[in-house]
Amino acid sequence: MKGFDTRICALVACLLLASQASGYTMEQMCAQWSGTGYVGNPTNCRAWGYCQGQKLVGWGTCPDDYIFNSQKGICDYPYRTVCATSAVQTCTAATSPMYVADPSNCTQYGYCDGKGSISYGDCGVGGVYSASSRSCVWGPACPQSTICQFMLSDIYVGDPDNCGSWLSCNNGYGTPGTCGSGLTYNLVTGNCQKTNTCNGNTDSGSSNGQFTVGDTSSTICKDKTNGYEAAPALTGKSYRFVSDLTTCYGFYYCESATAVGVWNQCPTGTHFDPTIGKCVSPAAYACPYNRCGNVNSVFMTRLGTSCEGYTVCASGGIGSCPTKNPYYDEVYDICTATAPGFAICS
Ligand SMILES: *[C@@H]1O[C@H](CO)[C@@H](O)[C@H](O)[C@H]1NC(C)=O
């Protein structure tokens, strides 16, 4: 965390920036994979994690200037390894000309001149850059934004958007597949099976409060204290999204107050706001559960401290900013002299 004062920014712009973060956390990647091994860290191309038993059990950073090659699971020389989190970093190290995807903007691509500089090209209206074919293709989805982007090549993982289906990861790209009629993909074993693991779950929250996309609850939609009554704004639609009452990022889709709720999760970097039934910047809604979930942040503001305290996510410990800059600005991850205007500060 840096000590200097915050840059001036309109609250709305800050929140937009924060909620644009996309992709998957290392925890989410591990949860979809039955295997054991390395995954890349989507926030830092030199860093890696280690999955075992569908959990993130270790993490670290490559030595020296080495870049982590997620598809091979090794630390490799920067001049021949694409930094998937920074096109500029790749071009700085590249010793021969190459095209690279811009991780912050899929409608453009970078060209490394092989001498350390980068220039940008535009894919035009409706176009997105596909790193695998080194060409612009028709959008809107960014071909690089798959759970396989930071995972090993030649493995099968669960499809996070489609419980019971799998993706085959090859060189950072995921090709979807299904198990065939009557069969579902089991994330734990990595095999197709007859028992449906997606709709066979009960409400008990069996595995330490962990949810899987597609989990169901027969009671959650009836709970009127759970933002159900407070989110009537979806004109003409009878469905609602309600909190899972356990995590900051999970919600249930309720077709009606009597329906069985189906669990899903907000995009990485966002939290579920049950008062409007939407995924928002974590700073825009004071979620009462573990605020470190679904964000790749080292620190998160502690609720009820008027933004003067923060939680250290890795340890669960607490801390505060120096007296000179007493307020913690979660969006910019700095201590500031003036209190940020976020909802979590009130
Ligand atoms: C993304 O790149 C395109 C093409 O260079 C540019 O027109 C657009 O403004 C960029 N978008 C953002 C959000 O930077």
Side-chain angles (χ1 to χ4, degrees):
M1 202 187 309
K2 289 144 275 180
F4 54 81
D5 290 353
T6 185
R7 280 164 282 171
I8 310 280
C9 77
L11 175 62
V12 175
C14 292
L15 297 181
L16 261 178
L17 277 175
S19 62
Q20 266 170 7
S22 62
Y24 298 89
T25 62
M26 292 196 287
E27 285 85 352
Q28 286 167 339
M29 291 182 228
C30 291
Q32 296 293 333
W33 187 27
S34 62
T36 299
Y38 293 99
V39 292
N41 184 333
T43 65
N44 176 351
C45 66
R46 296 187 51 231
W48 48 263
Y50 195 81
C51 304
Q52 191 175 53
Q54 293 184 284
K55 298 261 187 302
L56 181 69
V57 295
W59 46 87
T61 306
C62 291
D64 306 319
D65 288 333
Y66 284 41
I67 304 290
F68 187 72
N69 181 327
S70 303
Q71 275 72 59
K72 292 182 180 163
I74 55 169
C75 295
D76 208 344
Y77 294 109
Y79 71 84
R80 64 180 184 197
T81 315
V82 169
C83 168
T85 61
S86 166
V88 173
Q89 197 169 331
T90 299
C91 288
T92 305
T95 51
S96 55
M98 67 194 279
Y99 289 97
V100 283
D102 178 353
S104 63
N105 185 349
C106 201
T107 68
Q108 66 177 17
Y109 55 88
Y111 174 73
C112 306
D113 65 1
K115 298 179 188 121
S117 295
I118 185 169
S119 54
Y120 293 97
D122 184 353
C123 282
V125 177
V128 289
Y129 184 70
S130 161
S132 64
S133 62
R134 292 192 188 82
S135 62
C136 292
V137 297
W138 186 248
C142 185
Q144 285 75 245
S145 304
T146 140
I147 194 168
C148 294
Q149 185 181 5
F150 294 95
M151 301 187 79
L152 292 171
S153 204
D154 301 322
I155 59 169
Y156 288 91
V157 298
D159 182 344
D161 296 323
N162 210 345
C163 186
S165 299
W166 47 263
L167 295 172
S168 162
C169 292
N170 295 98
N171 292 319
Y173 297 88
T175 311
T178 52
C179 285
S181 81
L183 300 176
T184 354
Y185 183 74
N186 183 331
L187 295 173
V188 184
T189 61
N191 293 321
C192 291
Q193 64 178 44
K194 283 199 174 135
T195 319
N196 189 328
T197 48
C198 295
N199 65 13
N201 288 350
T202 56
D203 295 354
S204 57
S206 42
S207 49
N208 353 310
Q210 295 288 337
F211 294 86
T212 305
V213 173
D215 277 357
T216 56
S217 163
S218 54
T219 52
I220 200 97
C221 297
K222 301 185 184 96
D223 180 356
K224 297 211 171 177
T225 62
N226 183 19
Y228 180 77
E229 294 286 64
L234 303 164
T235 334
K237 303 264 171 69
S238 60
Y239 63 82
R240 296 288 185 277
F241 296 102
V242 301
S243 166
D244 64 17
L245 301 174
T246 308
T247 70
C248 281
Y249 56 89
F251 58 86
Y252 282 92
Y253 166 75
C254 293
E255 209 170 287
S256 70
T258 52
V260 170
V262 182
W263 193 85
N264 211 323
Q265 68 183 55
C266 288
T268 306
T270 61
H271 282 173
F272 179 71
D273 179 351
T275 63
I276 54 171
K278 288 190 173 142
C279 298
V280 300
S281 159
Y285 170 67
C287 171
Y289 312 111
N290 177 9
R291 298 194 66 250
C292 289
N294 207 40
V295 294
N296 263 318
S297 303
V298 179
F299 308 102
M300 288 298 277
T301 302
R302 273 176 69 212
L303 296 185
T305 65
S306 308
C307 280
E308 291 192 50
Y310 55 81
T311 304
V312 184
C313 287
S315 64
I318 59 174
S320 52
C321 287
T323 333
K324 195 161 164 266
N325 292 306
Y327 300 101
Y328 180 58
D329 180 323
E330 182 178 286
V331 172
Y332 279 116
D333 185 26
I334 53 175
C335 291
T336 74
T338 44
F342 310 142
I344 48 167
C345 301
S346 53

